[in-house]
Amino acid sequence: MATFKVTIDGVDIQAEEGSTILEVARLHGIDIPTLCHHDELTPYGACGLCTVEVDDGRRTKLVPSCLHPVKEGIKVKTHTERVVKGRKLILELLLSMCPNSKTLQDLASKMGLEKVRFKMEDKDCILCGLCVRMCEEQMRSGAIGLVGRGLSREAAPFSMASEICRNCGACMYICPVVDVQCRGVKSPGELCNSCLVLTPQCLEDYGQVMCSLESCGACVRKEVKK
Amino acid sequence: MGSSNMMIMDEKTCVVANARRLLGSVRYESCGKCVACREGLKRMHEIVVDIAEGRGKEEDLDLLQDLAETVIDFSLCEFGQMVPTPVLDNLKNFRYEYEAHIKEGRCLHCKPLLTYSIVADKCVACGACARACPVQAVRLYAEISGTTRSYINGDTCIGCGACKEVCRYNAVSVRLKKDGNL
């Protein structure tokens, strides 16, 4: 397989042809934040957090690193001022939609975001498409999709009860915003544990974990203490 | 304006009202895949509406600039890369109009910032304004003193300016709501 010489954050790397900038960066321990990306699912490019600056010799442009393939001689910068400022603003936009999501709050803390300057809503979907890709590619059902356009876009089983949905719960498992909220420490020594994942439904229904993600059973954890 | 249209506007056009109208219609054209374009355009519209209606804050202009730049940089397709450019050009070339909306509530064209009223001395009660008003906000009233004159109901008035245009006696005055001056 052919390799290309690329430079990421000043580090010269021989990258395999056909790989994306994100794959190459992560392989070499260079951290690029993502939200709508999962290694086992096809990349989508909806969130924009993985955006990096690419200099291809002719001009500099901002591209989503989860989608952009490596090319010979490109120089990639993952944390320029323009990129970091934009990532923080996108996170502000996401948090203004779903402020109670633990995943988004964690990302915000990591990026040093403290204040959201927009009117807050309380939605439960950021339209990242992870549930759709999970259902289609891992569970091989394809029971849900992203329907509608623009502001009326939603993830739905095409506005009717789906006959092919097997109630496996994989969509809920992969969703980054359908998190249980933190309730804090109740008494000395007792943690909230709300974000421990519940037993996936597929385990009860089929007697085994049905997806190929973390098939060591890592998704099976203790029941939430009520 | 991003769609190969050429629009010709005279100096009486309010750029804030124009940006509001542009963003108001174009945000529904977004396909909605990337967060920057879908949410960014929505919030840009919200900010411009606030500025147009006199609720703008000092920080809003920098936020509008950052939002426009982020939508351009982080969108996947040319739609998001194109649509915010009129707003950026507005902020570069007509920033004083936006600032006037925010700091002084000053705009001769944005209706929510203005009040229309009748100058009693000049009104001859011809009734032209009452006939011209599309929402019947202008009536002729007979006062206790015996004189009849027009009166504009501020709640019903939509600020179209028709009464001012038809009055031949300069009896309709327009003032800024914020400080009463023009």
Side-chain angles (χ1 to χ4, degrees):
Chain A
M1 180 140 271
T3 58
F4 296 132
K5 174 176 156 262
V6 303
T7 312
I8 305 184
D9 289 346
V11 180
D12 287 337
I13 294 170
Q14 286 293 338
E16 248 185 40
E17 182 187 4
S19 49
T20 61
I21 295 179
L22 182 68
E23 281 170 352
V24 173
R26 286 213 165 146
L27 199 60
H28 290 81
I30 298 171
D31 180 40
I32 299 177
T34 56
L35 183 59
C36 73
H37 182 80
H38 198 290
D39 287 335
E40 303 290 328
L41 303 171
T42 54
Y44 190 49
C47 69
L49 288 178
C50 68
T51 304
V52 294
E53 229 178 79
V54 170
D55 178 359
D56 60 4
R58 283 183 354 203
R59 60 191 178 109
T60 307
K61 53 184 178 176
L62 264 62
V63 301
S65 58
C66 63
L67 292 171
H68 199 275
V70 289
K71 291 188 192 141
E72 177 67 36
I74 54 172
K75 294 192 177 58
V76 180
K77 295 203 184 120
T78 63
H79 282 77
T80 64
E81 195 185 325
R82 197 169 152 205
V83 161
V84 169
K85 195 171 91 162
R87 279 188 197 143
K88 279 171 86 160
L89 194 56
I90 289 190
L91 212 40
E92 260 186 88
L93 289 168
L94 286 168
L95 275 165
S96 68
M97 291 168 77
C98 307
N100 293 316
S101 156
K102 182 176 183 305
T103 314
L104 291 177
Q105 294 270 5
D106 286 347
L107 271 169
S109 298
K110 227 168 107 168
M111 287 196 201
L113 185 68
E114 287 170 11
K115 197 162 155 33
V116 170
R117 296 169 285 181
F118 307 115
K119 235 183 325 193
M120 294 290 224
E121 300 163 327
D122 196 11
K123 300 224 181 98
D124 54 10
C125 175
I126 52 171
L127 297 169
C128 66
L130 276 167
C131 55
V132 174
R133 288 174 279 151
M134 179 71 166
C135 185
E136 170 77 43
E137 297 166 23
Q138 284 292 332
M139 307 312 296
R140 311 210 177 246
S141 276
I144 44 176
L146 285 167
V147 280
R149 191 189 74 191
L151 298 170
S152 57
R153 198 168 163 94
E154 54 171 359
F158 305 104
S159 70
M160 54 185 174
S162 173
E163 297 155 342
I164 48 179
C165 170
R166 306 197 299 268
N167 286 320
C168 68
C171 51
M172 286 200 302
Y173 166 67
I174 202 85
C175 176
V177 296
V178 173
D179 284 325
V180 186
Q181 294 168 36
C182 186
R183 296 192 195 101
V185 177
K186 279 174 278 190
S187 63
E190 188 173 328
L191 299 175
C192 160
N193 282 155
S194 294
C195 53
L196 286 186
V197 173
L198 300 167
T199 318
Q201 198 162 342
C202 61
L203 190 66
E204 293 171 12
D205 291 349
Y206 298 101
Q208 62 172 39
V209 174
M210 293 298 283
C211 66
S212 70
L213 301 176
E214 297 176 344
S215 53
C216 60
C219 67
V220 181
R221 288 175 226 198
K222 288 185 288 189
E223 292 269 323
V224 163
K225 290 187 201 128
K226 290 264 158 56
Chain B
M1 304 297 286
S3 49
S4 308
N5 286 346
M6 180 151 41
M7 292 179 71
I8 302 174
M9 299 171 269
D10 65 9
E11 70 277 7
K12 292 202 283 288
T13 311
C14 173
V15 288
V16 180
N18 198 43
R20 173 190 185 162
R21 203 195 45 212
L22 170 76
L23 288 168
S25 61
V26 100
R27 69 204 163 119
Y28 291 111
E29 304 296 319
S30 165
C31 81
K33 178 170 173 182
C34 40
V35 176
C37 170
R38 185 187 73 235
E39 299 297 318
L41 290 179
K42 179 172 111 183
R43 299 301 183 174
M44 278 171 74
H45 178 249
E46 273 177 18
I47 294 175
V48 174
V49 166
D50 278 347
I51 295 177
E53 296 190 349
R55 294 187 299 268
K57 300 187 289 288
E58 295 263 1
E59 316 83 70
D60 283 348
L61 292 185
D62 286 335
L63 184 56
L64 196 58
Q65 174 95 15
D66 285 345
L67 266 172
E69 287 172 357
T70 302
V71 173
I72 292 176
D73 283 344
F74 283 69
S75 290
L76 288 174
C77 79
E78 289 80 16
F79 179 80
Q81 287 157 13
M82 204 171 52
V83 163
T85 32
V87 177
L88 278 183
D89 286 346
N90 265 1
L91 289 171
K92 189 168 84 172
N93 299 316
F94 301 104
R95 198 182 180 94
Y96 54 87
E97 278 211 43
Y98 282 80
E99 285 174 348
H101 274 76
I102 295 172
K103 292 183 193 163
E104 304 161 44
R106 171 177 295 281
C107 180
L108 289 178
H109 319 293
C110 277
K111 310 300 184 226
L113 299 176
L114 307 170
T115 42
Y116 284 77
S117 54
I118 304 285
V119 181
D121 317 339
K122 298 202 178 136
C123 175
V124 300
C126 67
C129 50
R131 284 192 295 275
C133 181
V135 294
Q136 284 106 48
V138 190
R139 300 278 173 85
L140 283 172
Y141 281 100
E143 292 181 346
I144 299 171
S145 54
T147 51
T148 313
R149 68 173 191 92
S150 287
Y151 176 74
I152 300 179
N153 183 338
D155 295 330
T156 324
C157 169
I158 57 168
C160 69
C163 54
K164 188 170 167 68
E165 273 182 60
V166 300
C167 180
R168 291 176 297 161
Y169 302 94
N170 281 329
V172 181
S173 89
V174 183
R175 286 191 325 259
L176 290 176
K177 265 189 207 160
K178 201 157 182 177
D179 59 9
N181 296 327
L182 191 60

